[in-house]
Structure formats: structure tokens, C-alpha cells
Amino acid sequence: MTAFLQAIMDGLTLGSLYALIAVGYTVVYGIVQLINFAHGEVFMIGAFGALATWTVLFKGQTGLWVLPIMILGAVIVSVLTAVIMERIAYRPLRGAPRLAPLITAIGISVFLQEAVRLFYPGAKSKLTFPEIDVVTGSAIQVGGVTVQRAALFTIGALALSAALLWFFVNRTRLGQGMQAVSQDPDTAQLMGINVNRIIVIAFALGAALAAVAGVAQGLLNSNIDFRMGFLAGLKAFTAAVLGGIGNIQGAVVGGLTLGIAESMATQFIPGQFGGSAWKDVWAFALLILVLVFRPQGLLGARVVDRA
């Protein structure tokens, strides 16, 4: 029973990380029907932004008060990257065939990876991420289950971010504008809604959540790497499709489901097909199985809409 609960805890931690990134995929897709495969690199740049903020302003400091400023630095860098990406690369291709922005996204992904590798000091190898008091340190034992402090931060960050995003989409004028644009951008523009502004906000929201995920990844692993965005982005996209692409709640459910599935496969599948080496295989096997019987995803693919 303890092993089962431990697997659930590990899965929730991993799934929360996937979900934070997946929401960015699903919000952008819900507004402009675009799969932004460079979103994983926005997550990676957020982690490097947090590290740069700590290095420049607080090197050697480990107090909890440093963490909010690190997160702010990560969010600023990620949001700027996403907004510039949308303005320069995606907006000119908005009316182009869908293959064009897809190829562009892959190109941006490679460009951002190489830019960080070449221009961030020491980024050609893994960089140590600072340990912060309270959210890192010795694990907590709860009934035989080991709970990492950074895992509590990751799960809490997802819960808070999901609640704030729900409030924004459902209770603010900008959120209502997002819903209108996602349903019919031409009609929304005729009604006086600035469609370009709404799209930029969608990119910024996704980037902000990815930045928080980047900080969480650094705290969990104690290091960051310029390649970390590729696989994390791929898994997050899988989570978004699993839950229902374009569905914010689906992205959260898909992320948590994927994380728990990976953890369970690692812990309980015996023999040569089990263990951590096979967790990615089982994750994509789960996606294929779900899509065979429910192509729209667990909660249904839809545009950004009310909960």
C-alpha cells in the first residue's frame, strides 16, 4: 500500500509539472488553432531566467523571500520570449497553410535551444539550480510516503495557477474576450474586440505558467539544462491532447493522468518492459489507447470556454 501511495505522490508531482506546461499549449490552440512546439523552450527559458535573476541579484542567498522574485524574473523572460515569438514568427503566418507555422515552431524551438547553449554562461553543461529554504531540503515523511518539499511547491503552484486562470477566463472582460475570439474571431472583431491583443494575452498566459513550471523543475532536480524543454514540451503536448486539446480543464486532467500513469508504470510493471527506461513508452501507449476509443480526449476537445 505504501508503494502505491508513493507512486501516486510521485505521479501527482510529475503530472503537475506537465499540466502547468500543457495549459500553455491548450490556451494558444483554443484561440488560434496553433500547436506551438516551441512552448517547451519557453519553459526552459523560464528556468534560465530564474537562475539568472538569482545569480545577478541574490547569489549565495537561500531565503524563501528570494523565490517570488526568481519566479517574477522567470515569468518576465518567458513572457517576453513568447510575445516576440508571436509577433515576429506566428502573426505573419496566421493566414498561411497550417504546415507553415508548424515548421516555423520547430525552427524556433531549435533556435532558442542553441541561443541559450551558446550565449548563457556555462549552459553547454547542466547548471546547478539554487536550493531555497522551505521549498527544498530534507523530504517529509507522511505515513511511510516520502514527500519532497519541491513536490509540494509544484502541486501547490498548479492548484493556484489553475484557480487564477479559471477566474481570469470566466470572470474578467479579457477572459470573455478570449472566449469570444476562440469561438469566432471574425465576429469578435466586428464586435470591437482587439483580436491581436487577445492572441498576445493567450501567449503571455501560457508563457507565465511555463515559467512557473521551469522554476519547479529546477527546484525538483536541483539543476537545469538547455535541452530540458524538448521532452517536457512533448510530454505536455501529449497531456493536452490526452485531456482534450483546447480544453483548459482537460490540460490539467491530462497532465495529472499522464504523470500518474508514468509513475505507476515505473513502479509496478515488472520485467524488461518496466522501470524508468520504459515510462515514456507507456505514456505514449496510454495516449494512443485513449485516442483510439475517445479521439476528442478525456474531457473533449473544444475552444477555450467556461468551466
Side-chain angles (χ1 to χ4, degrees):
M1 187 62 175
T2 301
F4 176 79
L5 293 176
Q6 185 67 62
I8 291 292
M9 184 66 216
D10 294 343
L12 287 175
T13 304
L14 187 60
S16 296
L17 198 65
Y18 291 157
L20 281 168
I21 309 171
V23 169
Y25 277 109
T26 211
V27 168
V28 170
Y29 183 86
I31 301 295
V32 292
Q33 306 296 295
L34 167 70
I35 301 297
N36 179 18
F37 278 117
H39 189 61
E41 273 53 58
V42 174
F43 153 77
M44 176 269 293
I45 284 175
F48 276 88
L51 178 60
T53 301
W54 180 83
T55 302
V56 172
L57 300 177
F58 309 112
K59 192 167 185 178
Q61 300 287 334
T62 61
L64 183 61
W65 60 273
V66 171
L67 184 60
I69 305 174
M70 289 175 63
I71 294 174
L72 179 61
V75 169
I76 290 172
V77 173
S78 288
V79 168
L80 283 175
T81 301
V83 169
I84 293 171
M85 182 194 313
E86 188 278 331
R87 183 65 186 88
I88 295 176
Y90 293 140
R91 190 176 299 184
L93 298 174
R94 202 171 289 165
R98 290 193 178 186
L99 188 60
L102 180 63
I103 294 173
T104 301
I106 296 171
I108 294 171
S109 174
V110 174
F111 170 81
L112 292 176
Q113 276 193 39
E114 290 301 301
V116 171
R117 183 180 72 87
L118 294 173
F119 297 113
Y120 193 98
K124 292 183 180 179
S125 58
K126 289 185 178 182
L127 295 176
T128 301
F129 201 82
E131 294 189 358
I132 304 299
D133 297 342
V134 180
V135 294
T136 59
S138 57
I140 302 169
Q141 297 293 326
V142 181
V145 176
T146 301
V147 181
Q148 300 293 334
R149 294 173 185 265
L152 295 177
F153 169 79
T154 305
I155 296 170
L158 173 64
L160 179 60
S161 298
L164 290 175
L165 184 61
W166 180 91
F167 180 84
F168 178 82
V169 171
N170 292 287
R171 294 290 185 267
T172 67
R173 291 180 63 86
L174 284 175
Q176 292 171 353
M178 288 177 66
Q179 294 177 41
V181 172
S182 69
Q183 293 171 18
D184 191 333
D186 293 331
T187 302
Q189 192 161 17
L190 290 174
M191 296 293 291
I193 296 173
N194 188 329
V195 173
N196 286 332
R197 182 187 181 199
I198 292 296
I199 292 172
V200 168
I201 289 171
F203 272 86
L205 282 174
L209 294 183
V212 174
V215 175
Q217 174 88 329
L219 294 172
L220 285 166
N221 292 351
S222 299
N223 62 71
I224 58 175
D225 182 82
F226 74 92
R227 293 175 292 255
M228 63 188 274
F230 176 74
L231 186 58
L234 192 59
K235 291 290 189 65
F237 174 65
T238 301
V241 175
L242 183 66
I245 190 70
N247 187 324
I248 294 174
Q249 292 79 17
V252 175
V253 171
L256 295 176
T257 301
L258 190 65
I260 291 173
E262 284 192 18
S263 181
M264 289 292 184
T266 301
Q267 183 73 26
F268 295 112
I269 294 181
Q272 61 177 337
F273 299 112
S276 59
W278 280 80
K279 65 184 179 66
D280 296 339
V281 175
W282 289 113
F284 291 112
L286 173 64
L287 174 65
I288 293 169
L289 184 65
V290 169
L291 293 182
V292 165
F293 294 100
R294 191 172 172 81
Q296 69 271 36
L298 294 173
L299 298 189
R302 62 178 182 183
V303 294
V304 175
D305 202 353
R306 290 184 178 272

